[in-house]
Amino acid sequence: MGEFDTLITKGALTIRPSDDLSMDILLERGSADTDGTASRSIFRPSTMLNGTLGYVPPSDPHELDMPYEGYSELEWNQAVLKVEYEIPTGTITSITGARDMSQDLSTSIDGSALNLFVFETTFEQDQLSQEIRYSGNPFGNKDISITIGAYYFEQDYWYKERRSIFGGAVQQALSGGIEQTTWALFSHADYHVSDTIMASFGVRYTKESKDALIASLTNCDFKWDNCTFDFDDDETWSNVSPRAGIQWRPNENINVYGSIGRGFRSGGFNLRNGSPQASAGPYDEEQVTSFEIGVKSDLLDGKVRLNGAIFNNEYDNLQRTVMDDQALQSILNAASATIRGVEVELSVMPLEKLSVNLNYGYTDAFYDSFEGLDITGDNIPDPELSKDLDLPLIPENTLSLTAIYDLNLGASGVVTFRGSYSFVDTRYINNENSLELNDYELYGLSATWVPDDNWRVSLYGKNLGNEYYAPFGSDIGLFSQQFIQPPRNYGVDISYAY
């Protein structure tokens, strides 16, 4: 399992009718056909798969027991037109983009030989965007620069899903689509208070509308030929997102900065609505207030780069899936949370052709409140127990270390040797914190030969410690599983660019 076939074709054209005007056209067409996701059952006697049905996964953690490999078939086309026009006080830029894509996906989620739960989706989407902005110094004051602009975005997407449970004994399907229109006005200004201090201010106003048509689960036949659309609604949201920052540069090698801002995540509708009796929305936008202070520095004549930052993000009206007393799931603005932490980046060049890079992150991510979350399994929300739960899939500690050495072969090109190490801490798989993903360490080595501008040949070894690891999974009453990543593997990669 793990076969893939990817083809991407790109084209670019630059037109410069005059010294003041330039046009860049980018075209891309691509397809990616792969096997389904590798799922492995996690033994938990409390689940139906392991407890009632008695299934026991293989003892080798890297061994899969899936009778059905599944598939993913993705296709897309996109085009971008960028136009820049220089005027005496600045630059006017227009960026137009268009894209359409489709994906068919099928996988056996439970990861067992019993093929308990097969999940299939179809997704189609097309979008159009337009941005126009001015950047420059319209007031003739070199200490002030501004950016102002407008943005428009529209998209239509349609989602279909079906589930085959207990070997097809239960078959369920749903379907739904959304039409979205978004426009925004934005501005940003940088003001040089002195030779070493710069203040920044910005604001963005966004207004968006969504129109949803949904056939909830069980309201479509298994082939999606006939659907009863039980939900038809629309909603409009608006948001003001300000941001302010300050930078202090005591010299050309050190930049101390701080910023505070407010952002949002769009509201919407639940296209995966689990029952006609459950609400498909709308749910409102979630907001985040973010604060960051940090420093960026180049030391010892550029041989050492040290960056560090402290951040704190406060989230309100988090969009979360909750279950009511009838065991019906809905997406609601049900939670508030805090994500705070520290990031450190260190790059050292002990030799002219050798660079060593270290990145460390510490993150403390927890819920401040969560209304509607059932932790005990009795279909009754437990708001008190929900306080201080960890946010899912966010590790407390991450660490990466890479060393890169370039060997110049003269007329024969360059060989780049790379060694890497990474560590990812434990993290919970879901909101309830009922199942924890193991921490893991990864080691990798590669040697890449670039003889000219066209050819590139790489020898690589990945996950050399043969570590078992999974980025995510699920824990429900039927089963518990993890989507695992490949064990130790080696390979050769040959590419030709023209």
Side-chain angles (χ1 to χ4, degrees):
M1 189 171 183
E3 183 178 346
F4 65 92
D5 184 6
T6 301
L7 176 62
I8 300 175
T9 304
K10 297 181 180 181
L13 175 64
T14 297
I15 303 173
R16 301 193 182 278
S18 68
D19 293 339
D20 299 328
L21 179 63
S22 66
M23 294 180 285
D24 296 311
I25 302 172
L26 303 175
L27 302 175
E28 179 175 306
R29 178 179 178 85
S31 63
D33 297 336
T34 68
D35 287 339
T37 309
S39 178
R40 175 178 168 80
S41 171
I42 303 302
F43 186 79
R44 288 170 68 85
S46 60
T47 64
M48 177 179 291
L49 177 63
N50 305 130
T52 305
L53 301 179
Y55 174 76
V56 178
S59 57
D60 182 354
H62 287 120
E63 182 180 348
L64 296 177
D65 201 15
M66 300 170 60
Y68 176 62
E69 291 184 350
Y71 59 86
S72 172
E73 299 174 350
L74 174 65
E75 294 183 351
W76 70 92
N77 300 283
Q78 64 183 36
V80 177
L81 170 63
K82 181 179 180 181
V83 180
E84 288 191 334
Y85 182 59
E86 302 287 342
I87 60 176
T89 62
T91 303
I92 298 174
T93 303
S94 170
I95 302 176
T96 307
R99 187 187 73 177
D100 66 77
M101 62 88 67
S102 63
Q103 182 180 33
D104 294 326
L105 182 147
S106 178
T107 188
S108 179
I109 293 183
D110 60 284
S112 76
L114 303 183
N115 215 26
L116 191 66
F117 196 119
V118 175
F119 176 85
E120 297 181 325
T121 64
T122 294
F123 182 73
E124 296 180 348
Q125 183 251 15
D126 61 80
Q127 68 178 53
L128 176 68
S129 64
Q130 173 65 54
E131 178 178 312
I132 186 166
R133 65 176 184 263
Y134 164 81
S135 297
N137 182 4
F139 309 114
N141 187 337
K142 64 182 180 60
D143 293 328
I144 300 176
S145 60
I146 69 168
T147 298
I148 58 173
Y151 175 77
Y152 175 81
F153 173 83
E154 66 178 32
Q155 70 169 342
D156 301 324
Y157 55 94
W158 199 268
Y159 176 82
K160 298 178 182 179
E161 177 184 319
R162 60 188 180 192
R163 310 169 184 178
S164 177
I165 308 173
F166 303 124
V170 176
Q171 293 184 329
Q172 301 172 327
L174 59 83
S175 180
I178 287 181
E179 296 180 357
Q180 175 184 348
T181 301
T182 301
W183 63 269
L185 300 174
F186 57 89
S187 64
H188 180 88
D190 292 328
Y191 174 57
H192 291 271
V193 181
S194 68
D195 291 340
T196 60
I197 298 176
M198 184 181 74
S200 301
F201 307 93
V203 65
R204 185 183 185 97
Y205 173 79
T206 304
K207 186 172 184 179
E208 59 184 5
S209 300
K210 294 183 179 180
D211 192 338
L213 181 64
I214 300 172
S216 301
L217 193 66
T218 72
N219 266 7
C220 289
D221 63 40
F222 199 63
K223 294 183 178 181
W224 299 303
D225 290 332
N226 297 290
C227 292
T228 300
F229 292 94
D230 53 278
F231 184 89
D232 186 357
D233 197 5
D234 62 84
E235 185 60 272
T236 299
W237 299 269
S238 61
N239 183 277
V240 177
S241 302
R243 185 183 184 278
I246 190 166
Q247 297 182 44
W248 174 51
R249 299 184 67 97
N251 57 60
E252 62 180 9
N253 297 317
I254 297 177
N255 180 17
V256 182
Y257 65 91
S259 67
I260 185 169
R262 188 167 178 83
F264 74 99
R265 180 184 179 186
S266 299
F269 299 89
N270 182 14
L271 292 184
R272 303 183 66 235
N273 199 40
S275 168
Q277 286 72 48
S279 173
Y283 49 85
D284 287 329
E285 301 167 332
E286 62 182 39
Q287 297 88 33
V288 58
T289 300
S290 59
F291 172 76
E292 181 177 343
I293 57 174
V295 60
K296 297 181 179 181
S297 61
D298 290 325
L299 309 172
L300 300 179
D301 296 325
K303 294 181 179 180
V304 175
R305 173 169 293 175
L306 178 61
N307 301 332
I310 300 173
F311 62 89
N312 187 84
N313 299 325
E314 303 284 345
Y315 293 84
D316 295 312
N317 292 326
L318 273 177
Q319 301 160 4
R320 287 296 182 264
T321 301
V322 300
M323 186 178 296
D324 64 17
D325 57 3
Q326 302 299 314
L328 299 178
Q329 290 185 340
S330 301
I331 298 178
L332 302 177
N333 300 97
S336 62
T338 299
I339 301 178
R340 59 195 180 193
V342 178
E343 296 176 342
V344 178
E345 301 176 8
L346 175 63
S347 298
V348 181
M349 293 189 66
L351 301 173
E352 182 181 358
K353 300 296 183 179
L354 174 64
S355 63
V356 179
N357 306 289
L358 181 142
N359 293 270
Y360 171 74
Y362 169 81
T363 305
D364 184 20
F366 56 89
Y367 287 109
D368 299 304
S369 65
F370 200 143
E371 302 297 328
L373 181 64
D374 172 29
I375 298 177
T376 60
D378 58 3
N379 294 332
I380 298 176
D382 302 300
E384 289 301 316
L385 296 177
S386 302
K387 293 180 179 179
D388 295 327
L389 287 174
D390 289 343
L391 267 70
L393 304 178
I394 300 180
E396 186 174 58
N397 295 282
T398 58
L399 176 68
S400 66
L401 178 66
T402 60
I404 301 172
Y405 181 75
D406 292 327
L407 177 62
N408 193 330
L409 302 179
S412 298
V414 176
V415 176
T416 299
F417 300 92
R418 185 179 189 273
S420 64
Y421 165 83
S422 63
F423 168 80
V424 176
D425 214 341
T426 58
R427 60 263 181 243
Y428 287 104
I429 210 168
N430 54 15
N431 291 319
E432 295 81 4
N433 291 184
S434 63
L435 182 62
E436 194 174 58
L437 293 168
N438 295 334
D439 59 18
Y440 61 86
E441 297 176 289
L442 298 178
Y443 301 87
L445 291 173
S446 68
T448 301
W449 176 43
V450 181
D452 51 41
D453 294 336
N454 304 111
W455 287 98
R456 182 184 182 93
V457 181
S458 296
L459 303 175
Y460 64 84
K462 299 180 180 180
N463 191 9
L464 297 178
N466 206 33
E467 189 89 333
Y468 172 89
Y469 69 107
F472 58 97
S474 57
D475 181 32
I476 60 177
L478 284 177
F479 56 85
S480 296
Q481 57 82 225
Q482 296 177 1
F483 292 109
I484 67 174
Q485 297 301 298
R488 180 190 297 117
N489 61 96
Y490 309 91
V492 179
D493 183 28
I494 302 175
S495 61
Y496 180 81
Y498 57 92

mmCIF file of all heavy atoms in Angstrom, residues 223-238:
data_model
loop_
_atom_site.group_PDB
_atom_site.id
_atom_site.type_symbol
_atom_site.label_atom_id
_atom_site.label_comp_id
_atom_site.label_asym_id
_atom_site.label_seq_id
_atom_site.Cartn_x
_atom_site.Cartn_y
_atom_site.Cartn_z
ATOM 1 N N LYS A 223 -26.433 5.528 -4.086
ATOM 2 C CA LYS A 223 -25.776 5.961 -5.322
ATOM 3 C C LYS A 223 -25.939 7.452 -5.578
ATOM 4 O O LYS A 223 -25.514 7.950 -6.606
ATOM 5 C CB LYS A 223 -26.324 5.173 -6.515
ATOM 6 C CG LYS A 223 -25.994 3.683 -6.475
ATOM 7 C CD LYS A 223 -26.492 2.979 -7.724
ATOM 8 C CE LYS A 223 -26.115 1.503 -7.714
ATOM 9 N NZ LYS A 223 -26.584 0.803 -8.947
ATOM 10 N N TRP A 224 -26.558 8.172 -4.637
ATOM 11 C CA TRP A 224 -26.828 9.606 -4.749
ATOM 12 C C TRP A 224 -27.734 9.938 -5.935
ATOM 13 O O TRP A 224 -27.764 11.078 -6.393
ATOM 14 C CB TRP A 224 -25.524 10.408 -4.879
ATOM 15 C CG TRP A 224 -24.591 10.289 -3.720
ATOM 16 C CD1 TRP A 224 -24.841 10.569 -2.416
ATOM 17 C CD2 TRP A 224 -23.227 9.857 -3.774
ATOM 18 N NE1 TRP A 224 -23.731 10.353 -1.648
ATOM 19 C CE2 TRP A 224 -22.716 9.920 -2.465
ATOM 20 C CE3 TRP A 224 -22.378 9.452 -4.788
ATOM 21 C CZ2 TRP A 224 -21.417 9.567 -2.145
ATOM 22 C CZ3 TRP A 224 -21.087 9.106 -4.482
ATOM 23 C CH2 TRP A 224 -20.601 9.169 -3.175
ATOM 24 N N ASP A 225 -28.478 8.958 -6.441
ATOM 25 C CA ASP A 225 -29.377 9.237 -7.562
ATOM 26 C C ASP A 225 -30.588 10.045 -7.113
ATOM 27 O O ASP A 225 -31.116 10.866 -7.873
ATOM 28 C CB ASP A 225 -29.839 7.931 -8.216
ATOM 29 C CG ASP A 225 -28.722 7.230 -8.963
ATOM 30 O OD1 ASP A 225 -27.798 7.938 -9.427
ATOM 31 O OD2 ASP A 225 -28.762 5.993 -9.070
ATOM 32 N N ASN A 226 -31.051 9.801 -5.905
ATOM 33 C CA ASN A 226 -32.232 10.483 -5.374
ATOM 34 C C ASN A 226 -31.931 10.983 -3.966
ATOM 35 O O ASN A 226 -31.549 10.199 -3.089
ATOM 36 C CB ASN A 226 -33.438 9.543 -5.339
ATOM 37 C CG ASN A 226 -33.853 9.086 -6.727
ATOM 38 O OD1 ASN A 226 -34.368 9.870 -7.510
ATOM 39 N ND2 ASN A 226 -33.620 7.810 -7.015
ATOM 40 N N CYS A 227 -32.068 12.284 -3.768
ATOM 41 C CA CYS A 227 -31.840 12.900 -2.466
ATOM 42 C C CYS A 227 -33.023 13.788 -2.103
ATOM 43 O O CYS A 227 -33.595 14.462 -2.976
ATOM 44 C CB CYS A 227 -30.571 13.745 -2.457
ATOM 45 S SG CYS A 227 -29.031 12.816 -2.621
ATOM 46 N N THR A 228 -33.383 13.781 -0.853
ATOM 47 C CA THR A 228 -34.383 14.695 -0.322
ATOM 48 C C THR A 228 -33.658 15.789 0.439
ATOM 49 O O THR A 228 -33.050 15.529 1.483
ATOM 50 C CB THR A 228 -35.363 13.969 0.619
ATOM 51 O OG1 THR A 228 -36.039 12.931 -0.098
ATOM 52 C CG2 THR A 228 -36.388 14.947 1.180
ATOM 53 N N PHE A 229 -33.697 16.997 -0.090
ATOM 54 C CA PHE A 229 -32.960 18.090 0.530
ATOM 55 C C PHE A 229 -33.821 18.701 1.635
ATOM 56 O O PHE A 229 -34.808 19.392 1.365
ATOM 57 C CB PHE A 229 -32.560 19.122 -0.522
ATOM 58 C CG PHE A 229 -31.535 18.596 -1.474
ATOM 59 C CD1 PHE A 229 -31.911 18.023 -2.689
ATOM 60 C CD2 PHE A 229 -30.189 18.653 -1.146
ATOM 61 C CE1 PHE A 229 -30.956 17.531 -3.560
ATOM 62 C CE2 PHE A 229 -29.225 18.158 -2.023
ATOM 63 C CZ PHE A 229 -29.615 17.590 -3.226
ATOM 64 N N ASP A 230 -33.426 18.425 2.868
ATOM 65 C CA ASP A 230 -34.216 18.821 4.026
ATOM 66 C C ASP A 230 -33.784 20.167 4.607
ATOM 67 O O ASP A 230 -34.410 20.668 5.540
ATOM 68 C CB ASP A 230 -34.099 17.756 5.120
ATOM 69 C CG ASP A 230 -32.653 17.438 5.473
ATOM 70 O OD1 ASP A 230 -32.031 16.638 4.750
ATOM 71 O OD2 ASP A 230 -32.143 17.994 6.462
ATOM 72 N N PHE A 231 -32.690 20.767 4.056
ATOM 73 C CA PHE A 231 -32.190 22.022 4.618
ATOM 74 C C PHE A 231 -31.841 22.971 3.491
ATOM 75 O O PHE A 231 -31.075 22.620 2.583
ATOM 76 C CB PHE A 231 -30.952 21.759 5.483
ATOM 77 C CG PHE A 231 -30.424 22.979 6.189
ATOM 78 C CD1 PHE A 231 -30.889 23.342 7.438
ATOM 79 C CD2 PHE A 231 -29.456 23.773 5.581
ATOM 80 C CE1 PHE A 231 -30.403 24.469 8.081
ATOM 81 C CE2 PHE A 231 -28.963 24.900 6.211
ATOM 82 C CZ PHE A 231 -29.442 25.254 7.469
ATOM 83 N N ASP A 232 -32.385 24.188 3.557
ATOM 84 C CA ASP A 232 -32.121 25.220 2.557
ATOM 85 C C ASP A 232 -32.106 26.564 3.281
ATOM 86 O O ASP A 232 -33.140 27.021 3.772
ATOM 87 C CB ASP A 232 -33.196 25.201 1.469
ATOM 88 C CG ASP A 232 -32.888 26.172 0.328
ATOM 89 O OD1 ASP A 232 -31.875 26.901 0.413
ATOM 90 O OD2 ASP A 232 -33.661 26.205 -0.651
ATOM 91 N N ASP A 233 -30.905 27.172 3.382
ATOM 92 C CA ASP A 233 -30.804 28.392 4.176
ATOM 93 C C ASP A 233 -29.615 29.212 3.674
ATOM 94 O O ASP A 233 -28.756 28.709 2.943
ATOM 95 C CB ASP A 233 -30.620 28.056 5.659
ATOM 96 C CG ASP A 233 -30.931 29.237 6.570
ATOM 97 O OD1 ASP A 233 -31.379 30.285 6.053
ATOM 98 O OD2 ASP A 233 -30.719 29.112 7.800
ATOM 99 N N ASP A 234 -29.598 30.474 4.070
ATOM 100 C CA ASP A 234 -28.471 31.343 3.736
ATOM 101 C C ASP A 234 -28.206 32.270 4.911
ATOM 102 O O ASP A 234 -29.066 32.498 5.762
ATOM 103 C CB ASP A 234 -28.749 32.141 2.458
ATOM 104 C CG ASP A 234 -29.952 33.050 2.609
ATOM 105 O OD1 ASP A 234 -29.792 34.164 3.141
ATOM 106 O OD2 ASP A 234 -31.061 32.637 2.200
ATOM 107 N N GLU A 235 -26.975 32.809 4.939
ATOM 108 C CA GLU A 235 -26.586 33.700 6.028
ATOM 109 C C GLU A 235 -25.482 34.628 5.534
ATOM 110 O O GLU A 235 -24.733 34.308 4.601
ATOM 111 C CB GLU A 235 -26.092 32.890 7.224
ATOM 112 C CG GLU A 235 -25.773 33.706 8.465
ATOM 113 C CD GLU A 235 -26.969 34.470 9.003
ATOM 114 O OE1 GLU A 235 -27.164 35.614 8.534
ATOM 115 O OE2 GLU A 235 -27.696 33.936 9.862
ATOM 116 N N THR A 236 -25.409 35.800 6.150
ATOM 117 C CA THR A 236 -24.384 36.786 5.835
ATOM 118 C C THR A 236 -23.682 37.212 7.115
ATOM 119 O O THR A 236 -24.337 37.418 8.146
ATOM 120 C CB THR A 236 -25.000 38.020 5.150
ATOM 121 O OG1 THR A 236 -25.625 37.615 3.927
ATOM 122 C CG2 THR A 236 -23.935 39.059 4.844
ATOM 123 N N TRP A 237 -22.353 37.315 7.047
ATOM 124 C CA TRP A 237 -21.548 37.732 8.190
ATOM 125 C C TRP A 237 -20.671 38.905 7.777
ATOM 126 O O TRP A 237 -20.311 39.050 6.605
ATOM 127 C CB TRP A 237 -20.631 36.602 8.672
ATOM 128 C CG TRP A 237 -21.312 35.371 9.138
ATOM 129 C CD1 TRP A 237 -21.712 35.058 10.411
ATOM 130 C CD2 TRP A 237 -21.660 34.231 8.333
ATOM 131 N NE1 TRP A 237 -22.286 33.811 10.453
ATOM 132 C CE2 TRP A 237 -22.271 33.295 9.204
ATOM 133 C CE3 TRP A 237 -21.519 33.926 6.987
ATOM 134 C CZ2 TRP A 237 -22.724 32.053 8.738
ATOM 135 C CZ3 TRP A 237 -21.987 32.705 6.523
ATOM 136 C CH2 TRP A 237 -22.581 31.784 7.394
ATOM 137 N N SER A 238 -20.295 39.717 8.749
ATOM 138 C CA SER A 238 -19.317 40.780 8.522
ATOM 139 C C SER A 238 -18.344 40.807 9.687
ATOM 140 O O SER A 238 -18.690 40.420 10.816
ATOM 141 C CB SER A 238 -19.997 42.143 8.353
ATOM 142 O OG SER A 238 -20.712 42.483 9.528
#
